[in-house]
Structure formats: structure tokens, C-alpha cells
Amino acid sequence: PGRLLEIDPNTVRLRNTINVNGTPGKLVFTPDGRLAAASNLRFGEQSTSLLVFDVQGRTVVANLGDGTV
């Protein structure tokens, strides 16, 4: 599976890893900073979805859609 990496901007060291089923794209954040979302491509299955992350909890809270490419 793919991974989402949290990097400490001060030390440029790995803080945390969130495992995901697929390959997450560039993150976008909600205005309040509580959630982040990324497109997700699962190459073996040729399908896409939208991953939603709880930033503080460092977890995937939703995997929306399952469109075929």
C-alpha cells in the first residue's frame, strides 16, 4: 500500500506515516485545517477515489467514490 508522510518542517524529519490503499496525490486542506483530502489512484485496479484525512488524529476518515479510470 501507499503511504502519506508527515514531515516536521523545522527538522525535515519524518514525524508520522499513514498507510493507505493506493497512491495519494497532493493534499488540500479545509480552511479550519482539521481535514485534508487527496485524490487516490490504485494502479493495479485502475480505479480512483478521494481520501479524507483527520489531520490531528492522523487517520483516514473516508475513502469516497470508487470510479473506474
Side-chain angles (χ1 to χ4, degrees), residues 24-43:
K26 183 178 178 180
L27 287 172
V28 293
F29 295 87
T30 56
D32 62 8
R34 292 179 49 207
L35 299 174
S39 61
N40 182 38
L41 179 60
R42 290 176 287 196
F43 291 107

Side-chain angles (χ1 to χ4, degrees), residues 6-39:
E6 179 186 353
I7 306 295
D8 183 315
N10 296 317
T11 64
V12 194
R13 292 191 177 187
L14 181 64
R15 249 193 223 168
N16 191 41
T17 301
I18 301 171
N19 292 321
V20 297
N21 182 20
T23 305
K26 183 178 178 180
L27 287 172
V28 293
F29 295 87
T30 56
D32 62 8
R34 292 179 49 207
L35 299 174
S39 61

